[in-house]
Amino acid sequence: MRIIHFLVVCALVYAASYVYRIKMDSTARTERVLRLHAQVRAQREAIADLRAEWARLDAPRRLQILAERHLKLKPIDATQFDSLKNLPERPPSLVPPGTSDPIGAMIEIVDPDVVTGSLPSPEDPR
């Protein structure tokens, strides 16, 4: 009978220690969840602060003031336009009309000694 009492007491001690361990684990997990909630709340507040800062920096009125202060832009007047007859003449074309390789033709006009190799010359059929 003593052995049964001893085993029952041991079983009760084991059960109590097991329940205590479960309670401590659940308390630790609850604290961890609360810490994570606090971190999430802090991150959301930081995001809200950054969005508010971005909205303040991106405000059209602020950008207008900065542009007026740092850029030399002025509204266009009607007197700034000119007629087409006052435009300069078009520069002469470096490429003869009908050329199949306009870039090679330009290079040959600028430096006739350079061999481009992009197209064979008419005298050198390959």
Side-chain angles (χ1 to χ4, degrees):
M1 197 65 167
R2 285 183 157 186
I3 292 178
I4 293 175
H5 287 156
F6 180 74
L7 289 176
V8 168
V9 169
C10 287
L12 287 174
V13 168
Y14 176 76
S17 67
Y18 184 72
V19 169
Y20 179 76
R21 194 177 86 199
I22 289 174
K23 181 183 180 267
M24 292 307 293
D25 286 346
S26 68
T27 302
R29 289 182 184 191
T30 302
E31 289 176 357
R32 184 170 178 243
V33 168
L34 291 176
R35 269 187 268 129
L36 289 174
H37 281 297
Q39 287 178 354
V40 167
R41 189 177 330 114
Q43 292 296 320
R44 285 184 179 166
E45 288 175 2
I47 289 171
D49 289 343
L50 290 174
R51 284 186 178 160
E53 180 73 16
W54 179 258
R56 188 186 69 79
L57 292 174
D58 201 27
R61 178 70 184 142
R62 180 183 171 277
L63 294 177
Q64 178 71 29
I65 291 171
L66 289 175
E68 290 172 357
R69 184 183 310 158
H70 298 291
L71 299 177
K72 296 179 180 178
L73 300 176
K74 295 180 181 174
I76 297 174
D77 292 333
T79 59
Q80 292 177 325
F81 293 108
D82 203 358
S83 63
L84 292 176
K85 66 181 179 182
N86 293 333
L87 287 176
E89 291 291 324
R90 187 176 186 169
S93 177
L94 295 176
V95 179
T99 304
S100 63
D101 185 14
I103 295 175
M106 284 191 287
I107 292 173
E108 287 178 3
I109 289 172
V110 172
D111 191 5
D113 295 334
V114 173
V115 177
T116 58
S118 60
L119 289 176
S121 63
E123 305 89 41
D124 186 21
R126 291 184 188 174

